[in-house]
Structures are given as C-alpha cells and as structure tokens.
C-alpha cells in the first residue's frame, strides 16, 4: 500500500484504461508526491475531461490523494454549450454511474491507494453524478458536489454511506437555492446524513478558472480548502 511511483515504475501522471461492466473505459490518473494516499474520483463537467478537470486531479494529487478522473465521454470534449448539452443527454445516468463504479473498482485495486473507501468530487453534471454514485455505492464515503446538477429524478439515498459537503453559488440560476433545502431534507430523511451545503456569493461554475467570466477566486479558495480538509478527515480512517 505504501509503494511510491518510483518503486512501482508507475508515472506520477498517466492516462489509464480500466474495465467498466465488461467494457473498456478510460481516465486520467495522478499520484501524490509521496507515492501513495487515499483515493478520490474526480467527475467532469458537461464539457468533458478538459484541462480544467485534469488540473483539479493534479491539485488533489499534490494534496496527497491518488486521484482518478474517468472519461465519461470516451474522448469527446465539447467546444460550446450546445455540444456539451448533446453529449450530456447522450449519457444515460445509469450508464454513467456504472462507468464510475468501474473507476472505483480500478482505484481501490491500485497498490498506491491506502484507503478502503474513496471520495468523489464532481462539478456541474459531475456534481450530480457524485450524488448518484454515492447513493448507489457504499464504497464512496466522502461526496463533494460542486454546483451539482441532478438530471431527472433525485436518487434514492437509503443506501448512502457518504458524508456530503456541497458547494453552490447563490447566483446560480440552474440550481435555485430553495431546491437545496428540499434535497438536504430528502437526504436526511432517507439516510440520516445531514448534508453540509455551503452557498457562496458566486455564479454557476465559480470554481472553473478556465472561465474568467464566472470564476470567483475567493469562493474557489474557500471551497477548495474546505474540500481538502473534508476529504482528509473522511478518508483518514477508511
């Protein structure tokens, strides 16, 4: 469990292929400087596995986590919102969750991963998938949706094992703040988990520093510090 990238011969950053319900899937893996650490899944926005998502994966690795960003679009990256919407609509939620469960299998099988469970961090579409995955897979014990958009029906949280820390923008028209109260109440009623939803004076996608028109450095810094601390605390004893 404590082998370093140098001792295993594994590059600190690499593209990987793994099995997802009998189908090959792909992703981007980043290892921490010390060579091992708790596992974290990073789930893309509706744009795809972009440079921003790879950068977030690298940043989590720099904080001591073994981070894996699965490619939900099979190599496709959207260049405008119309294309992003099409790609998102072409990915059924069930298929996305199955692919992510395969990524959890792959991550937990790595000798560099020191935790028995994983965290999941996701953005926009990926934030919704964080909640879908955590609701289905008890191996996820720390869930961090950033402005997570739930597609379709709210998942059944009765099987939830994760603690939840969510980050949202108060000016985000795609996620009206009253809906967070309802989601928090549903999670608590079905699982007993009290989700910690934090709201910032910011827009949707405020954490994406590749989009200067919405990026909020102060809110991003606060959310990042809270996320890293939450993941360390939640995964330290797993």
């Amino acid at each position: 469990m404590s082998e370093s990238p140098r001792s295993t011969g594994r590059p600190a950053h690499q593209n990987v292929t793994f099995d997802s319900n009998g189908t090959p899937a792909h992703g981007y893996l980043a290892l921490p400087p010390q060579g091992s650490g708790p596992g974290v899944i990073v789930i893309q926005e509706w744009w795809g596995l972009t440079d921003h998502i790879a950068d977030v994966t690298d940043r989590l690795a720099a904080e001591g986590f073994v981070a894996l960003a699965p490619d939900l679009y099979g190599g496709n990256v959207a260049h405008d919102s119309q294309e992003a919407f099409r790609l998102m609509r072409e990915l059924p939620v069930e298929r996305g969750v199955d692919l992510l469960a395969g990524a959890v299998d792959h991550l937990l099988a790595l000798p560099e991963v020191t935790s028995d469970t994983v965290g999941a961090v996701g953005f926009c579409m990926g934030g919704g998938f964080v909640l879908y995955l955590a609701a289905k897979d008890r191996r996820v014990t720390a869930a961090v949706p950033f402005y997570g958009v739930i597609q379709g029906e709210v998942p059944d949280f009765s099987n939830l094992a994760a603690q939840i820390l969510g980050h949202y923008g108060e000016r985000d028209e795609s996620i009206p703040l009253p809906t967070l109260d309802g989601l928090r109440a549903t999670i608590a009623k079905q699982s007993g988990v009290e989700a910690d939803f934090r709201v910032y004076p910011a827009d949707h996608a405020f954490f994406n520093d590749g989009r200067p028109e919405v990026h909020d450095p102060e809110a991003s810094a606060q959310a990042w510090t809270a996320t890293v601390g939450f993941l360390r605390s939640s995964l330290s004893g797993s």
Side-chain angles (χ1 to χ4, degrees), residues 26-27 44 47-49 70-79 87:
H26 308 280
Q44 67 191 51
W47 305 107
L49 208 174
D71 186 351
L72 298 182
Y73 289 166
N76 293 312
V77 175
H79 297 93
L87 289 170

Short mmCIF file of all heavy atoms in Angstrom, two decimals, residues 26-27 44 47-49 70-79 87:
data_model
loop_
_atom_site.label_atom_id
_atom_site.label_comp_id
_atom_site.label_asym_id
_atom_site.label_seq_id
_atom_site.Cartn_x
_atom_site.Cartn_y
_atom_site.Cartn_z
N HIS A 26 -11.77 4.73 -19.90
CA HIS A 26 -10.51 5.44 -19.83
C HIS A 26 -10.59 6.57 -18.80
O HIS A 26 -11.68 7.00 -18.41
CB HIS A 26 -10.16 6.01 -21.20
CG HIS A 26 -10.19 4.99 -22.30
ND1 HIS A 26 -9.17 4.10 -22.52
CD2 HIS A 26 -11.16 4.69 -23.22
CE1 HIS A 26 -9.48 3.31 -23.53
NE2 HIS A 26 -10.69 3.64 -23.96
N GLY A 27 -9.43 7.04 -18.39
CA GLY A 27 -9.39 8.13 -17.43
C GLY A 27 -7.99 8.69 -17.28
O GLY A 27 -7.04 8.23 -17.91
N GLN A 44 -16.15 14.92 -14.18
CA GLN A 44 -16.10 16.04 -15.11
C GLN A 44 -17.39 16.87 -15.15
O GLN A 44 -18.47 16.42 -14.79
CB GLN A 44 -15.85 15.50 -16.52
CG GLN A 44 -17.03 14.66 -17.03
CD GLN A 44 -16.72 13.89 -18.29
OE1 GLN A 44 -15.73 13.20 -18.38
NE2 GLN A 44 -17.59 14.02 -19.29
N TRP A 47 -18.66 19.55 -20.12
CA TRP A 47 -17.76 19.78 -21.23
C TRP A 47 -16.93 18.54 -21.59
O TRP A 47 -16.49 18.39 -22.72
CB TRP A 47 -16.80 20.92 -20.90
CG TRP A 47 -17.47 22.19 -20.49
CD1 TRP A 47 -17.54 22.72 -19.23
CD2 TRP A 47 -18.18 23.11 -21.33
NE1 TRP A 47 -18.24 23.89 -19.23
CE2 TRP A 47 -18.64 24.16 -20.50
CE3 TRP A 47 -18.46 23.15 -22.70
CZ2 TRP A 47 -19.38 25.23 -21.01
CZ3 TRP A 47 -19.19 24.21 -23.21
CH2 TRP A 47 -19.64 25.24 -22.36
N GLY A 48 -16.70 17.67 -20.62
CA GLY A 48 -15.86 16.50 -20.85
C GLY A 48 -14.64 16.52 -19.93
O GLY A 48 -14.56 17.31 -18.98
N LEU A 49 -13.70 15.63 -20.20
CA LEU A 49 -12.47 15.57 -19.40
C LEU A 49 -11.51 16.62 -19.98
O LEU A 49 -10.64 16.33 -20.78
CB LEU A 49 -11.85 14.17 -19.46
CG LEU A 49 -11.02 13.74 -18.24
CD1 LEU A 49 -10.58 12.28 -18.36
CD2 LEU A 49 -9.82 14.63 -18.00
N PRO A 70 -12.35 9.72 -14.43
CA PRO A 70 -12.84 8.89 -15.53
C PRO A 70 -13.32 9.77 -16.68
O PRO A 70 -13.86 10.86 -16.47
CB PRO A 70 -14.00 8.12 -14.91
CG PRO A 70 -13.89 8.34 -13.44
CD PRO A 70 -13.21 9.64 -13.25
N ASP A 71 -13.16 9.29 -17.89
CA ASP A 71 -13.62 9.99 -19.08
C ASP A 71 -15.01 9.46 -19.44
O ASP A 71 -15.15 8.41 -20.05
CB ASP A 71 -12.64 9.77 -20.24
CG ASP A 71 -12.99 10.59 -21.46
OD1 ASP A 71 -14.08 11.19 -21.49
OD2 ASP A 71 -12.17 10.62 -22.40
N LEU A 72 -16.04 10.21 -19.08
CA LEU A 72 -17.41 9.75 -19.30
C LEU A 72 -17.84 9.86 -20.75
O LEU A 72 -18.84 9.25 -21.15
CB LEU A 72 -18.38 10.56 -18.43
CG LEU A 72 -18.19 10.45 -16.91
CD1 LEU A 72 -19.26 11.25 -16.19
CD2 LEU A 72 -18.22 9.00 -16.44
N TYR A 73 -17.11 10.64 -21.55
CA TYR A 73 -17.50 10.84 -22.94
C TYR A 73 -16.63 10.07 -23.93
O TYR A 73 -16.72 10.30 -25.14
CB TYR A 73 -17.42 12.33 -23.30
CG TYR A 73 -18.48 13.21 -22.67
CD1 TYR A 73 -18.35 14.59 -22.69
CD2 TYR A 73 -19.61 12.67 -22.08
CE1 TYR A 73 -19.30 15.41 -22.14
CE2 TYR A 73 -20.57 13.49 -21.51
CZ TYR A 73 -20.41 14.87 -21.54
OH TYR A 73 -21.36 15.69 -20.99
N GLY A 74 -15.76 9.21 -23.46
CA GLY A 74 -14.96 8.40 -24.36
C GLY A 74 -14.05 9.19 -25.27
O GLY A 74 -13.88 8.85 -26.44
N GLY A 75 -13.46 10.26 -24.75
CA GLY A 75 -12.51 11.06 -25.52
C GLY A 75 -13.09 12.31 -26.14
O GLY A 75 -12.34 13.14 -26.65
N ASN A 76 -14.39 12.48 -26.12
CA ASN A 76 -15.01 13.68 -26.69
C ASN A 76 -14.98 14.84 -25.70
O ASN A 76 -15.20 14.65 -24.50
CB ASN A 76 -16.47 13.40 -27.09
CG ASN A 76 -16.57 12.42 -28.24
OD1 ASN A 76 -15.90 12.57 -29.25
ND2 ASN A 76 -17.42 11.41 -28.07
N VAL A 77 -14.71 16.02 -26.19
CA VAL A 77 -14.74 17.25 -25.40
C VAL A 77 -15.57 18.27 -26.15
O VAL A 77 -15.35 18.51 -27.35
CB VAL A 77 -13.32 17.79 -25.14
CG1 VAL A 77 -13.39 19.14 -24.42
CG2 VAL A 77 -12.51 16.80 -24.32
N ALA A 78 -16.53 18.89 -25.47
CA ALA A 78 -17.41 19.88 -26.10
C ALA A 78 -16.71 21.24 -26.22
O ALA A 78 -15.94 21.62 -25.33
CB ALA A 78 -18.70 20.02 -25.31
N HIS A 79 -17.02 21.95 -27.28
CA HIS A 79 -16.44 23.27 -27.50
C HIS A 79 -17.46 24.39 -27.38
O HIS A 79 -17.10 25.56 -27.45
CB HIS A 79 -15.75 23.32 -28.88
CG HIS A 79 -14.60 22.36 -28.99
ND1 HIS A 79 -14.76 21.08 -29.48
CD2 HIS A 79 -13.30 22.47 -28.64
CE1 HIS A 79 -13.59 20.45 -29.46
NE2 HIS A 79 -12.70 21.27 -28.95
N LEU A 87 -23.87 15.96 -25.60
CA LEU A 87 -23.07 14.87 -25.03
C LEU A 87 -23.63 14.42 -23.68
O LEU A 87 -23.66 13.22 -23.37
CB LEU A 87 -21.62 15.32 -24.88
CG LEU A 87 -20.84 15.49 -26.19
CD1 LEU A 87 -19.50 16.18 -25.91
CD2 LEU A 87 -20.60 14.13 -26.86
#
